[in-house]
Amino acid sequence: MTASETTNEKPKTGIKIIIVGAGFGGLVAAIECVRQGHTPIIYESFPSLKILGDIITFGPNAGRIFARWKNGEVAQAMRKISIDLADYGFNIHKWDTGEIVINQKTPPRNDAAPMFNGHRGELHEIVFNYAKELGVEIVLGQRVENYWETDTAAGIVLEDGTKVEGDVVVGSDGVRSKARTLVLGYEDKPKSSGYAVWRSWFSNKDMLADPETRKFCENGDTFNGWIGPDVHFLFSTLKGGSDCCWVLTHRDEHDIDESWSFPGKLSEVKEVLRDWDPMCTKIISKTPEDKLVDWKLVYRDPLPNWVSGYGTASGHGRICLLGDSAHPFLPTSAQGATQALEDGVTLAVLLRKAGKNNVRGALRAYQDVRYERVCKVQKTGETTRDMWHNTDWEKVKKDPTTIQFPREDWIFLHDAEKHAETVGDEMIAKASA
């Protein structure tokens, strides 16, 4: 199937959707809107696409979405730059001794629902380019200053005063979304999760120069984790061992009102790992300090309203939130980006089913279909973190599988498009009553 054929997969609905934010959530929502016959347009404040960030994870429930695009070609491109752990698996180490407690095997590859771990910016570029290939209009360098809606239309006001009109506005501009305040009717400030993450992505040059760390880069892709009291350290090599990436989650009560991200200090990382397996410090010492980020983990419960004019929210029912704007996740869930993708798929299907004359019902049904699942998945970020940070090592000795990273079928086997097609009509009818 070519890109042009994908564009005409469903009849045109006449629904114009304004999407604020060209992250993964916004791009996937736009692509899915094209697949369902709508006309999306994205506004993004960044003036150009930049290959930024470090590792990001997409579970099989996201891979199922990517695999449907362009007869699998997009997923194939993503696979080429993602970690391949088919042979290596995930080595889980005890924090102080360094012993490998268990090697968690990688599930068999499923091309219909692949899993991706790769560089955020590089994977984003693939999705961005595919959206452009489909004809999605992406307007860069345009900051949205305000949102507006009436009973018959919705839109945005740009920084230069330009007023843009459509049928629906989707706020997919992250945890600091301006649309959130409009939908809620008040400013919802984030709270500290009590944790922070140091994270880095760098080349293998210094790792290869040291005989003790060379092993992680000489034999293809690897994934190792050290689990300790209120800390966990995850280290990967990717692209055949040429790139290195690590994240270290630890206790931190920093004032999140200042900033959520800072340049990191290697000395602080080494202090946290002082009594740990020396290999952890060895890896840290190979990290260029200018590649280190100190990221404060802010947290919100899923907002009570994602849609204007619904529940306690004021408005006309034509503005909605998607992804982190509505439900930010902790990284230990490994599902934050994936849930944003499920949002976009669900919204696109429901808008097609409801039609242009019932946008209000579609958006309400979107919240109803997604809310319970998102709440449940979001909690896994806390439970996984707490499981690792409070490990009962006597219990692990008896059953090492208790420390494995959870891979739950109810999360991974979910098919957002199929689910929305199945329950959509009923949910729209209920929401429209």
Side-chain angles (χ1 to χ4, degrees):
M1 181 182 292
T2 66
S4 59
E5 288 171 338
T6 303
T7 304
N8 298 317
E9 193 168 303
K10 297 286 194 304
K12 294 294 185 183
T13 64
I15 301 175
K16 180 181 178 181
I17 301 167
I18 298 169
I19 299 171
V20 181
F24 282 106
L27 288 172
V28 172
I31 290 167
E32 291 297 320
C33 282
V34 171
R35 292 185 70 231
Q36 296 300 328
H38 317 312
T39 303
I41 180 170
I42 298 176
Y43 286 85
E44 169 58 55
S45 61
F46 284 106
S48 62
L49 178 68
K50 294 183 179 180
I51 311 301
L52 301 173
D54 46 68
I55 199 162
I56 190 170
T57 296
F58 290 104
N61 43 325
R64 189 172 285 109
I65 296 167
F66 295 130
R68 288 185 171 129
W69 298 348
K70 204 177 178 182
N71 199 30
E73 288 183 30
V74 175
Q76 289 169 17
M78 296 174 74
R79 164 55 51 209
K80 290 178 182 177
I81 60 171
S82 294
I83 193 169
D84 182 357
L85 298 173
D87 297 326
Y88 194 89
F90 176 29
N91 286 334
I92 302 178
H93 303 252
K94 190 169 185 288
W95 65 283
D96 50 356
T97 64
E99 66 181 288
I100 297 176
V101 178
I102 191 171
N103 174 266
Q104 185 171 357
K105 302 299 182 186
T106 301
R109 182 174 295 174
N110 178 0
D111 289 338
M115 185 170 183
F116 302 115
N117 286 277
H119 191 284
R120 178 184 297 269
E122 294 175 353
L123 292 171
H124 181 263
E125 183 180 35
I126 292 172
V127 177
F128 182 93
N129 288 339
Y130 180 58
K132 295 284 285 185
E133 183 182 339
L134 279 181
V136 175
E137 185 177 356
I138 304 175
V139 184
L140 300 175
Q142 292 286 352
R143 187 176 299 279
V144 175
E145 288 297 319
N146 208 351
Y147 294 73
W148 62 270
E149 61 178 336
T150 66
D151 282 340
T152 58
I156 54 177
V157 179
L158 303 177
E159 196 170 23
D160 64 2
T162 301
K163 189 176 182 180
V164 184
E165 180 175 323
D167 299 294
V168 178
V169 176
V170 179
S172 182
D173 46 345
V175 289
R176 294 181 176 178
S177 172
K178 288 187 177 182
R180 179 192 294 107
T181 301
L182 184 148
V183 168
L184 285 177
Y186 60 88
E187 185 179 357
D188 175 58
K189 291 188 176 181
K191 57 187 178 182
S192 172
S193 68
Y195 289 85
V197 169
W198 283 299
R199 52 195 311 157
S200 186
W201 185 293
F202 53 100
S203 77
N204 67 4
K205 179 183 175 183
D206 290 338
M207 293 283 292
L208 285 174
D210 187 329
E212 291 190 59
T213 55
R214 184 185 300 149
K215 62 183 179 182
F216 294 109
C217 303
E218 285 185 319
N219 301 300
D221 295 350
T222 66
F223 186 24
N224 287 268
W226 286 258
I227 310 301
D230 238 356
V231 177
H232 66 272
F233 175 57
L234 304 177
F235 172 67
S236 305
T237 60
L238 304 90
K239 300 181 184 177
S242 67
D243 289 12
C244 304
C245 175
W246 59 261
V247 295
L248 190 153
T249 301
H250 62 103
R251 272 282 177 191
D252 187 298
E253 296 291 351
H254 197 276
D255 179 7
I256 59 172
D257 287 334
E258 284 186 37
S259 176
W260 299 347
S261 181
F262 304 85
K265 296 180 180 179
L266 289 174
S267 59
E268 294 180 356
V269 183
K270 291 175 181 177
E271 180 61 26
V272 168
L273 297 176
R274 183 177 53 184
D275 299 323
W276 282 49
D277 173 15
M279 183 56 72
C280 298
T281 301
K282 273 274 186 183
I283 293 168
I284 297 299
S285 68
K286 311 303 179 188
T287 306
E289 194 157 49
D290 64 351
K291 300 292 186 181
L292 181 61
V293 174
D294 182 1
W295 178 31
K296 310 304 179 186
L297 297 180
V298 298
Y299 191 74
R300 282 186 175 92
D301 293 323
L303 300 186
N305 301 304
W306 303 358
V307 177
S308 64
Y310 197 24
T312 59
S314 61
H316 300 270
R318 289 180 174 268
I319 299 175
C320 69
L321 305 174
L322 181 148
D324 281 353
S325 298
H327 47 73
F329 276 62
L330 295 174
T332 36
S333 71
Q335 276 284 313
T338 295
Q339 291 304 305
L341 269 57
E342 289 187 4
D343 285 351
V345 171
T346 303
L347 179 63
V349 170
L350 295 178
L351 281 168
R352 174 181 56 79
K353 283 180 167 289
K356 186 168 182 173
N357 293 328
N358 192 18
V359 164
R360 184 183 179 94
L363 266 59
R364 289 184 168 198
Y366 155 68
Q367 176 175 314
D368 292 345
V369 170
R370 294 290 299 145
Y371 196 84
E372 184 177 343
R373 174 170 169 80
V374 164
C375 290
K376 191 176 177 184
V377 177
Q378 191 195 46
K379 289 297 180 185
T380 65
E382 296 178 78
T383 55
T384 299
R385 179 199 65 201
D386 293 344
M387 174 193 74
W388 277 349
H389 288 199
N390 301 291
T391 299
D392 182 338
W393 291 103
E394 290 302 316
K395 182 179 178 182
V396 171
K397 279 184 181 180
K398 297 174 183 176
D399 182 5
T401 63
T402 60
I403 203 172
Q404 291 186 143
F405 186 85
R407 292 186 174 124
E408 301 183 67
D409 285 351
W410 68 271
I411 297 178
F412 284 174
L413 296 182
H414 186 74
D415 185 329
E417 182 175 352
K418 183 178 179 180
H419 182 64
E421 292 284 3
T422 301
V423 306
D425 293 329
E426 178 185 357
M427 298 300 280
I428 291 167
K430 286 182 179 179
S432 305

